[in-house]
Amino acid sequence: MTSENYKQIQTMKNRSLISIDDFTKEEYFSVLDAAEQFERKPVQNILDGKVVATLFFEPSTRTRLSFESAVNYLGGKVIGFSDVSSSSVKKGESLKDTILTVCNYSDLIVLRHPREGSARYASEVGTVPIVNAGDGANQHPTQCLLDLYSIRKTQGKLDNLDIAFVGDLKYGRTVHSLVIAMTNFNCRFHLVSPPELKLPSSVKMHIKEKNLEYYQYTDLSEVIPMADIIYMTRIQRERFSDPIDYEKVKNAYILNRSLLGNTKPNMKILHPLPRVNEINEDVDDMPQAYYFQQALNGLYVRQAILKLILGL
Amino acid sequence: MEQDKKPVKEFVVSAIENGTVIDHIPAQSVFQVIHILNLDKYGNQILFGTNLDSNKYGKKGIIKVTNKYFKPVEINKIALVAPTATLIIIKDFRVIEKKKVEIPDTIETFVQCVNPNCITNHEDVPTKFKVLDKIDSRLKCTYCEKITEKKNMTFR
Ligand SMILES: [Zn+2]
């Protein structure tokens, strides 16, 4: 898609972005197309005179910096806080009061909050659009959109792909959102996890409803030759009630250079970051490694979301 | 069976001058219905029976409440815990209206979200649910998107 035939959708204007389900397939595409424009030209002065508030009730430096750099490259100003100890919340102020106050001083609020449903609630009480930057274990839609962007960018399409999800598929919020989003496209899902951390049936339901194929594995090496995308996640020790179970699987889901001898030429490795050891550093300079570029794509996608929601 | 059933029906319909009879309550839900409607704190006469024989439902329960006509929100509560229930409105010993309860498409304020980390359990936020399944009473929280099921449903 070139800038000549790029047409901006108006249906996202002044709407909050809370859950990936709130938007249509057409609206996803519109975000991805706008993000492509920003990848070509990330510095644009379209947010001149606008103030974006980033309210982070729990720290998430990576996400916050990505949003703030998106605003800065577009010429806007940022206000906010990066953890609650320095804000009035510590004195017991309700979320509603914080939101209503900050609505007076900003055109859009980016909200990160440990409680699930906080972003939806904020969008109901607030007078400016809210962008959910993670509400507990529930939703983190901009992560999902940047994953979609990265897949489309590297594969040239979203349809007809073999996508492998590896690691903690039970608790991984980003995995759940991306699997659900990808059921809009005709994909095959390869789910690799220890038996304790399989994809929940509530998420598999979405795959079944669309009559798409999915396969479950415990062995990572099996899926590598057939995958177009390998989406890696971290397995956390605290997810296991028995530490022996963790010890048994902790090294079974690590990608390293020697495993990548036989991959499709277009295959790319994604990871929501931060990684611990699930992708060995010897993979970083291989052509399949895409996770740092993926994080950079987050900047373009967030710029696109700001533009579309503010209707600029 | 007919012999057993008849007197129960008579009892339910005739013995109350004004008020509401809640009939066809699943036997195990009678005390829950009393509780969610705060009938345990109600000043007027209440009679109830449970484990009564019913042709349609096996064992059933009945609650009759004098001088009380339930508001829609109360009827929604009844529907959630006793989806088979029938309400019989009685005035001057006569049946004025008989209606089956029905679970609405959305449930607001009185059900608690099952998710301990939901914003509605931490701030003063009225709950709101989309009803996914009217027979099994499965509710999806508008805020945290988690499912509250009948078996773990509690009320505010
Ligand atoms: Zn909830």
Side-chain angles (χ1 to χ4, degrees):
Chain A
M1 172 152 296
T2 63
S3 45
E4 288 78 57
N5 59 23
Y6 165 66
K7 262 221 216 86
Q8 186 172 320
I9 201 161
Q10 293 299 321
T11 54
M12 287 177 70
K13 190 176 173 178
N14 284 325
R15 271 168 74 195
S16 292
L17 176 56
I18 305 301
S19 165
I20 196 74
D21 307 335
D22 294 346
F23 289 86
T24 64
K25 201 166 152 180
E26 194 194 13
E27 286 163 338
Y28 294 169
F29 280 128
S30 178
V31 172
L32 305 190
D33 292 346
E36 238 168 54
Q37 303 294 307
F38 286 113
E39 183 166 2
R40 276 194 209 97
K41 195 168 178 265
V43 183
Q44 298 183 26
N45 217 29
I46 57 173
L47 282 187
D48 187 26
K50 300 282 183 192
V51 175
V52 171
T54 54
L55 308 186
F56 278 59
F57 288 77
E58 62 178 5
S60 175
T61 311
R62 195 173 298 275
T63 304
R64 185 172 57 82
L65 292 181
S66 174
F67 270 108
E68 294 185 353
S69 102
V71 176
N72 283 314
Y73 279 123
L74 298 181
K77 295 270 189 286
V78 176
I79 59 168
F81 51 83
S82 55
D83 79 88
V84 284
S85 60
S86 61
S87 77
S88 55
V89 179
K90 213 187 167 191
K91 299 177 196 134
E93 188 180 57
S94 70
L95 176 60
K96 180 180 180 178
D97 288 4
T98 306
I99 295 294
L100 285 174
T101 306
V102 176
C103 283
N104 291 331
Y105 310 133
S106 60
D107 299 289
L108 183 148
I109 293 173
V110 177
L111 178 69
R112 172 88 167 201
H113 197 285
R115 303 287 179 211
E116 285 131 36
S118 51
R120 177 81 60 200
Y121 176 60
S123 74
E124 289 180 354
V125 297
T127 53
V128 303
I130 308 285
V131 173
N132 184 4
D135 60 327
N138 186 33
Q139 291 271 342
H140 189 8
T142 61
Q143 175 71 45
C144 187
L145 287 162
L146 80 87
D147 290 340
L148 291 176
Y149 184 80
S150 300
I151 295 171
R152 192 176 78 163
K153 173 100 187 149
T154 58
Q155 308 301 318
K157 61 181 183 176
L158 288 167
D159 282 289
N160 237 319
L161 295 170
D162 284 278
I163 305 189
F165 290 90
V166 181
D168 177 359
L169 308 188
K170 185 173 180 184
Y171 298 100
R173 168 183 64 189
T174 54
V175 168
H176 301 171
S177 300
L178 185 57
V179 167
I180 293 169
M182 288 307 290
T183 61
N184 285 298
F185 309 98
N186 186 24
C187 288
R188 284 166 299 279
F189 298 89
H190 303 276
L191 310 171
V192 188
S193 72
E196 298 87 340
L197 296 177
K198 281 199 205 159
L199 194 72
S201 49
S202 58
V203 182
K204 278 182 216 151
M205 273 302 295
H206 290 265
I207 305 178
K208 289 179 190 161
E209 273 170 17
K210 299 274 172 71
N211 280 320
L212 298 175
E213 293 169 37
Y214 72 93
Y215 305 92
Q216 301 188 98
Y217 311 77
T218 51
D219 181 4
L220 170 59
S221 61
E222 256 185 274
V223 301
I224 291 172
M226 64 175 115
D228 297 303
I229 292 286
I230 297 182
Y231 198 96
M232 295 295 296
T233 62
R234 176 159 46 116
I235 292 179
Q236 289 167 285
R237 185 190 298 267
E238 54 271 27
R239 298 304 188 195
F240 291 82
S241 46
D242 186 346
I244 295 167
D245 290 337
Y246 171 73
E247 293 302 320
K248 270 191 284 187
V249 301
K250 70 172 185 187
N251 292 323
Y253 301 93
I254 294 180
L255 265 186
N256 59 43
R257 205 175 183 97
S258 65
L259 276 170
L260 296 170
N262 178 24
T263 68
K264 288 190 184 174
N266 57 303
M267 194 279 272
K268 295 292 176 206
I269 302 161
L270 304 185
H271 189 299
L273 302 183
R275 75 170 151 181
V276 178
N277 65 342
E278 56 280 3
I279 303 174
N280 204 310
E281 283 187 23
D282 66 7
V283 175
D284 292 355
D285 58 358
M286 295 184 76
Q288 293 95 333
Y290 194 74
Y291 28 93
F292 293 115
Q293 176 68 39
Q294 178 190 1
L296 174 59
N297 291 341
L299 169 67
Y300 311 133
V301 165
R302 289 174 178 123
Q303 288 181 311
I305 288 163
L306 294 170
K307 176 185 161 99
L308 290 167
I309 289 180
L310 291 171
L312 300 168
Chain B
M1 285 302 276
E2 277 300 303
Q3 286 290 316
D4 286 349
K5 229 182 96 208
K6 197 92 183 170
V8 171
K9 273 213 151 143
E10 289 297 318
F11 160 71
V12 166
V13 178
S14 61
I16 164 174
E17 185 177 351
N18 289 298
T20 306
V21 173
I22 313 169
D23 197 2
H24 298 299
I25 304 169
Q28 74 279 6
S29 306
V30 169
F31 292 100
Q32 203 180 3
V33 173
I34 290 170
H35 176 68
I36 58 160
L37 296 174
N38 287 321
L39 293 177
D40 40 0
K41 295 174 192 86
Y42 184 63
N44 285 314
Q45 192 183 63
I46 301 169
L47 291 167
F48 66 89
T50 186
N51 292 322
L52 306 167
D53 286 317
S54 154
N55 275 2
K56 260 196 223 161
Y57 302 105
K59 299 282 184 190
K60 70 165 184 179
I62 290 173
I63 304 168
K64 44 177 221 156
V65 190
T66 52
N67 300 324
K68 174 93 181 162
Y69 302 101
F70 293 105
K71 295 194 279 283
V73 60
E74 293 170 314
I75 296 171
N76 289 345
K77 288 187 187 182
I78 298 169
L80 272 181
V81 295
T84 56
T86 310
L87 293 187
I88 304 162
I89 315 294
I90 292 171
K91 284 181 183 159
D92 297 328
F93 293 109
R94 290 214 314 273
V95 173
I96 300 297
E97 195 189 350
K98 234 177 179 177
K99 59 185 175 196
K100 284 188 70 76
V101 297
E102 203 190 327
I103 299 179
D105 297 332
T106 54
I107 296 282
E108 297 193 8
T109 68
F110 63 86
V111 176
Q112 182 130 11
C113 180
V114 74
N115 175 8
N117 199 32
C118 179
I119 189 73
T120 61
N121 289 320
H122 291 272
E123 299 233 354
D124 186 18
V125 182
T127 59
K128 216 187 302 179
F129 299 89
K130 186 176 171 209
V131 178
L132 297 182
D133 186 329
K134 293 195 178 185
I135 294 159
D136 287 332
S137 303
R138 295 178 72 238
L139 311 180
K140 182 177 182 180
C141 177
T142 303
Y143 297 102
C144 74
E145 307 183 17
K146 296 281 179 298
I147 312 281
T148 296
E149 291 182 321
K150 194 175 178 175
K151 64 173 189 293
N152 48 30
M153 201 174 284
T154 51
F155 297 91
R156 290 186 149 189

